[in-house]
Amino acid sequence: MIRMDAEDKTKTNSGPAHVLTMEDWDVSAIHALLEKAQYFADNPEKLPLQRLYAANLFFEPSTRTKISFEAAERNLGLDLLHFEADTSSVIKGESLYDTVKTLESIGADVVVIRHGRERFFDELRGHVNIPIINGGDGCGHHPTQSFLDLLTIRQEFGTFTNVNIVIAGDIYHSRVARSNLEVLERLGANVYVSGPKEWMSDELLQRYLPMDEAVEAADVMMMLRIQHERHTVKMVAGPDEYHKRFGLNEEKAARMKPGAVIMHPAPVNRNVELADALVESGRSRIFKQMKNGVFVRMAVLHYVLEKQKGWLDQ
Amino acid sequence: MIRMDAEDKTKTNSGPAHVLTMEDWDVSAIHALLEKAQYFADNPEKLPLQRLYAANLFFEPSTRTKISFEAAERNLGLDLLHFEADTSSVIKGESLYDTVKTLESIGADVVVIRHGRERFFDELRGHVNIPIINGGDGCGHHPTQSFLDLLTIRQEFGTFTNVNIVIAGDIYHSRVARSNLEVLERLGANVYVSGPKEWMSDELLQRYLPMDEAVEAADVMMMLRIQHERHTVKMVAGPDEYHKRFGLNEEKAARMKPGAVIMHPAPVNRNVELADALVESGRSRIFKQMKNGVFVRMAVLHYVLEKQKGWLDQ
Amino acid sequence: MIRMDAEDKTKTNSGPAHVLTMEDWDVSAIHALLEKAQYFADNPEKLPLQRLYAANLFFEPSTRTKISFEAAERNLGLDLLHFEADTSSVIKGESLYDTVKTLESIGADVVVIRHGRERFFDELRGHVNIPIINGGDGCGHHPTQSFLDLLTIRQEFGTFTNVNIVIAGDIYHSRVARSNLEVLERLGANVYVSGPKEWMSDELLQRYLPMDEAVEAADVMMMLRIQHERHTVKMVAGPDEYHKRFGLNEEKAARMKPGAVIMHPAPVNRNVELADALVESGRSRIFKQMKNGVFVRMAVLHYVLEKQKGWLDQ
């Protein structure tokens, strides 16, 4: 290891060696420091520890997705660069592209991004050299949420073929839910929808089941979160009324088939789309979904880094 | 290690393997990813690193308690899940209970919570399967603060028996201080109070000492922080007046017994409850208290995890 | 390892061992916990892991500097204590000095500080026992930014002697730029300035070159960021006008010498001080500068900790 000149190069001759201003550094001390920096640049393999870095860029509130990615990253042994949107240069107007390029330059090996702008990734794909994982783009996509739903269903039934899945709630305004519908159908499941008819397109109405029929047909009741903030006008029914007409309550749950399960992406509006008592009932897989969220995110991270680095295969 | 299909499953055939939408994934690629996730679910012992996770949920401002817990956790080798109250789903209205269950599902092994609501933990105790450590509940309890005070006193005198302790300041409005009083008495100390009489209950007045007598009797002067924000009405005296009448200044400190010490939970209002010059004086144990805060938090974490996991005893 | 009494000392006899109130702890359990804490205090070498801690105190927005320090710290194997200015006791009025002393007491081995107050470090230097690294003090200094500029120039030309460097933009209002000018001259470079003359002092005007001459003379064009927020009054020219007259565009860049390079501290105002197309052009060293930022910060951290701890030399 290259040693710095042993003399203290700062004006303060006792105490710790602060680094405060350039004026404190004489020419030989500057050269010694540059030598050391160049040594670090030239000898990556001699760093005390060799790390892979993930940066999680969450421009919108999240508990479960952000922490779940963090747990997945740490479980795989990845290290974190802690990006905080609200104290970053983004508030000085820096673009998402420049922010990601910056993180790439600093050493991020993978970035996870949640952003309010739909398809935020279109300006990045093809222009950055590290993998981007979509942690949710506005009302658009949320692939790791889909993967965790899929894993939960597969664990339950061992297959997707002919599994009856009812997606209930505001599926029309949720592209995530429609994306789930599409992928479940591709995988062989029978997918139905339920909930307020005024929230359905004509296409969706072709697979519509009234709630009373839905609970009896379903192997999986996928309840959607009512996003109050987006429905002040539309939601003619209040929460109690909604719960009674379109929510899943204990009486309806009792009529579900043996082995049928309840799923929900959480956070649950208790006693709106789902009765409080059902959240942790035997039929519920809601907390299982959260556990599975960590495993699918590990798999997704592993997938992109394996391609990028041949990582874990050495 | 299970390998993903080597082909790039995303539409972009060059560059890194992003994960952006479900539409990019064909059925076989989906199944391969689910296989890998299931492998992670089934083989916890084959993870690259096996970790224990702590999550620190601080819903109120804190420097010393939060960072002290963090240092304690890292000292023990625990890993952190970084929960940030102000960007979490709590702002979407998620309950504390659901937040803690979520963290439990994601893999937290212990949670530390500071919350403005007194006895926030009553809704959690008995319903969650991971240990909760109270990092301060409003005006209620703050057990690790008590433990660090106790450790500091024990280091100084080797015992609590017959140690004379004066708690000075607004003890009536501070349940933490009253909790300290109670536990110190149980441990055998003689506990007195001082400060503005109008802030004392009749019960507290039975152990009242005027400041002039208090400084001569005390082995420990535990000065409390004046919480300006809570005393706009009550505090008839201004800061200078308070300092003169009820604060500990150099003249009074000079009359303390040999070996007597000054404690304060910090942050100190310098020259209000305590003279600036005394904060880092020979009698002060204020920074010692901070150091001890890390050690008692290590002990507390070790205690709850030992019970939970048989941890560190393997 | 000392074991706690195996009995559960909390009132709840089943489930995890929470730590919630002092009333839950009986005297023997308290003593057992204090024993354990004292054991940790007395036996630092028996901790599961022995760590060195860095704390990054950023009181002003930053992406690149903060994350760059974090990468440097993790690359060296340092651990982080996560200080968040906006949720810290600083908002209760705690001074910077007391905050740093607190971090020192809790176990920080080095602190990096960015603060809006110029020469914030004057109140700390000589009073704290851990090294302070200046991550930017208002309009004052930013030594690691200077070091990364220096490293980038040295990598390019192998020397500073007689390298022609043009600093272009609002150098008068940027003490960082003037500090760069001063140190580059001390290292043997020829330093010129360009940009709006009304932003130059008489002293700076002695080394003034019009932009058209500057691009032909320069080995390095160091473009400064126009800080819009500080120039509402002064900046008579709009962004387009500024770009045309004082910015570096493709036409001007084409007239630069073979081997000459473009630098910029970032974030870039694209098409103001620098044409969008030049940011990632062959002449640009902007992302190289970011990479070098990590290396010089590693060198700086290594330098201060080597002095403090004899670290890495064992």
Side-chain angles (χ1 to χ4, degrees), chain C residues 149-204:
Chain C
D149 290 337
L150 297 181
L151 184 63
T152 307
I153 294 166
R154 206 180 75 145
Q155 286 170 344
E156 206 64 36
F157 303 101
T159 179
F160 299 97
T161 309
N162 289 325
V163 176
N164 291 337
I165 294 168
V166 177
I167 307 181
D170 183 10
I171 190 167
Y172 182 63
H173 290 95
S174 166
R175 281 195 46 189
V176 175
R178 282 185 290 156
S179 169
N180 247 0
L181 185 156
E182 186 275 329
V183 76
L184 281 163
E185 193 141 80
R186 266 203 288 145
L187 289 165
N190 309 317
V191 189
Y192 305 93
V193 302
S194 191
K197 276 191 169 180
E198 58 268 37
W199 288 351
M200 310 276 167
S201 64
D202 288 346
E203 198 191 340
L204 285 172

Side-chain angles (χ1 to χ4, degrees), chain C residues 152 156 261-263 282-290:
Chain C
T152 307
E156 206 64 36
V261 298
I262 301 166
M263 293 171 59
R283 285 201 190 279
S284 169
R285 294 297 176 272
I286 298 176
F287 293 101
K288 187 76 179 291
Q289 286 173 277
M290 291 181 204

Side-chain angles (χ1 to χ4, degrees), chain A residues 87, chain C residues 57-62 66 85 114-117 136-138 230:
Chain A
T87 57
Chain C
L57 282 62
F58 277 67
F59 294 93
E60 296 211 313
S62 164
K66 180 156 180 274
R114 165 169 289 194
H115 198 289
R117 193 170 71 245
D137 60 308
R230 310 194 185 185

Side-chain angles (χ1 to χ4, degrees), chain A residues 286-300:
Chain A
I286 298 175
F287 292 102
K288 187 75 178 292
Q289 286 173 276
M290 291 181 203
K291 277 188 213 303
N292 284 334
V294 178
F295 297 125
V296 297
R297 287 172 182 121
M298 289 170 69
V300 159

Side-chain angles (χ1 to χ4, degrees), chain A residues 123-136:
Chain A
E123 66 164 310
L124 304 173
R125 175 148 53 174
H127 301 286
V128 297
N129 302 311
I130 50 174
I132 299 155
I133 296 174
N134 183 1

